[in-house]
Amino acid sequence: MLNLERLRTLDALARHGSVSAAAEGLHVTTSAVSQQMAKLEREVGQQLLARNGRGVRLTDAGRLLADHAARILSQVELAQSDIEAQRGRVVGEVRLGAFPTAARGLFPGTVAALRASHPELRVSTREMEPESGIRSVIRGDLDLAIVLDWSNKRLPVPAGLAQAQLLDDVTDVALPAGHRLAGRDEVDLAEFADDDWVSWPEGEFCHDWLVFTLRSQGVEPRIAHTAGEHHTQLALIAAGLGVCVAPRLGRGSVPAGVVLVPVRQRMRRHVYAVWRTDADRRPSIRAAVGALRSVAADSA
């Protein structure tokens, strides 16, 4: 009889590609991963891992069993969903992840609502970028992630994930109070051809979107500063060090010396929740989506 936890360990190895990454994803030690794999090899009577330089790789038998493990674990998830759905009670644990402004703008109200309505449900939250959130849901490290894309640049959502629209988040441009355009009711992006920009870190989805969007308006962006937190970006604007995009969700108070001006082109972020389709019938997922939609409606 194959042990489910050992199959879960093999599945994590196949998805993460290394013992250390699998251990991190499973929240166990590397020694525990190695021990589980050694026991699984004894159970099946075949070598599942082979040395590959300083790391390991799956053997042909390991890849074959890993494919079966993924399907078995998916069926287990479906069985758990069906049992929860039949029971009808919102219990157990639900793990949520979101990009920073969504975490700030949506999580406090959502978690408070779930606690009040479903006291037997344990809710945990993490802050992470959209791509990481999607990967974590696929791996099973998260139950639900809040992600985003833009009206002119979509974020690919892999097959096997369900999604629910939460809100469209309008985005303004933040300017120093002394900027030549600070008194305008609206601005065009093309008017910032000579300005320095404050952006998200290079390689993040929103950084790539900003570069793509400015270039589509004939502006070659001069990105002088990068910061992952909007409050840090706004502090740089207050110091007169450039301009930046300022989404409204989770914005909070704006520092003195910063002016927010709407953009004529109406830049919008589409904010939505994603979860695995094999968990679609879980009452905890449905409760979390319902609470997120209610809080998002109040935030829009």
Side-chain angles (χ1 to χ4, degrees), residues 31 33 44 70 77 79 109 168 180 296:
S31 175
V33 170
V44 300
E77 181 74 37
D168 281 349
R180 67 189 186 282

Side-chain angles (χ1 to χ4, degrees), residues 231-272:
H231 289 314
T232 304
Q233 294 180 7
L234 292 176
L236 292 167
I237 304 308
L241 300 178
V243 300
C244 77
V245 168
R248 296 179 185 178
L249 176 64
R251 179 186 287 168
S253 60
V254 177
V258 175
V259 174
L260 300 169
V261 182
V263 180
R264 188 169 289 113
Q265 291 87 352
R266 282 297 180 219
M267 300 181 295
R268 294 180 183 271
R269 305 192 300 178
H270 306 301
V271 181
Y272 51 100

Side-chain angles (χ1 to χ4, degrees), residues 11 21 23 115 167 188 199 288:
D11 178 64
R115 278 188 174 181
L167 76 155
D188 286 313
S199 175

